[in-house]
């Protein structure tokens, strides 16, 4: 795997990626040295998985040989290791392998009675933060067979789950969505940023 590093030339431009363990092995270039108290940055490309997921814990560790010159100018080689250490992950959507998807995706109806007014309740929780700046929109698709005609402003209500588990009314999606009878879809846009979505 190609590696880009800074300062350049210290880390080898090729790393060894092991998919099964999610391990990226970096090697110090020949005749180069990682200097103590010096910050090094590396970047490389991998492909995200297909399914949504939360960012897993990531560790860094090191092992190698160090040449140490003693007081008598005797060159002594010994093994140097840095134990596995949890890395500090960037917040929000920038943690490694946090992948867009719905952690919770439930749907229920209020009645099975023929030609009765039916209330659908959709419960969603996303792995990533949805933002207004991203023009985040959600579409519920496949509710075919309804007798309700097309409606550009089908009423809806929304609630947000708080940290203590209670639900509070919210205007996160406004008060309506676009209903299409033919394909049984309801589309609505995010009006306020939030991570847990409970329409």
């Amino acid at each position: 795997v190609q590696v880009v590093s800074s300062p350049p030339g210290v880390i080898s431009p090729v790393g060894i990626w092991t998919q099964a363990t999610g391990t990226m092995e970096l090697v110090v270039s020949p005749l180069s040295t990682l200097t103590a108290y010096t910050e090094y940055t590396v970047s490389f490309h991998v492909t995200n998985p297909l399914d949504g997921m939360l960012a897993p814990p990531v560790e860094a560790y090191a092992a190698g040989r160090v040449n140490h010159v003693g007081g008598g100018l005797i060159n002594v080689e010994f093994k140097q290791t840095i134990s596995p250490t949890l890395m500090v992950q960037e917040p929000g959507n920038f943690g490694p392998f946090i992948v867009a998807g719905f952690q919770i995706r439930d749907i229920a109806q209020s009645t099975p009675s023929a030609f009765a007014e039916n209330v659908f309740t959709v419960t969603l929780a996303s792995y990533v933060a949805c933002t207004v700046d991203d023009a985040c929109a959600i579409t519920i698709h496949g509710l075919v067979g309804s007798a309700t005609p097309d409606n550009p402003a089908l009423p809806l209500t929304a609630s947000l789950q708080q940290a203590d588990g209670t639900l509070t009314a919210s205007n996160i999606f406004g008060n309506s969505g676009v209903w299409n009878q033919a394909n049984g879809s309801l589309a609505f846009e995010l009006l306020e940023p939030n991570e847990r979505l409970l329409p």
Side-chain angles (χ1 to χ4, degrees), residues 21-167:
T21 58
T23 302
M24 182 65 173
E25 183 178 343
L26 306 171
V27 180
V28 177
S29 298
L31 304 180
S32 296
T33 301
L34 290 180
T35 305
Y37 306 108
T38 301
E39 184 175 294
Y40 298 88
T41 302
V42 298
S43 61
F44 50 91
H45 293 254
V46 294
T47 303
N48 281 343
L50 292 175
D51 296 327
M53 61 182 288
L54 294 173
V58 179
E59 295 179 328
Y61 60 91
R65 292 184 298 275
V66 177
N67 290 327
H68 172 69
V69 178
L73 299 181
I74 299 175
N75 193 12
V76 179
E77 184 181 85
F78 65 95
K79 188 174 181 65
Q80 174 71 40
T81 62
I82 299 177
S83 300
T85 306
L86 278 176
M87 303 188 73
V88 178
Q89 300 187 9
E90 289 294 316
N93 294 344
F94 298 100
F97 279 146
I98 182 170
V99 179
F102 289 113
Q103 181 183 20
I104 299 174
R105 48 194 186 279
D106 299 333
I107 186 169
Q109 68 174 5
S110 62
T111 178
S113 301
F115 209 64
E117 183 176 292
N118 200 359
V119 178
F120 284 98
T121 300
V122 177
T123 304
L124 299 173
S126 59
Y127 286 109
V128 299
C130 299
T131 67
V132 177
D133 293 337
D134 294 331
C136 181
I138 295 175
T139 300
I140 309 299
H141 184 82
L143 300 173
V144 293
S146 170
T148 300
D150 291 354
N151 188 340
L154 188 74
L156 62 81
T157 59
S159 300
L160 290 179
Q161 186 177 44
Q162 305 303 313
D164 61 2
T166 60
L167 298 179

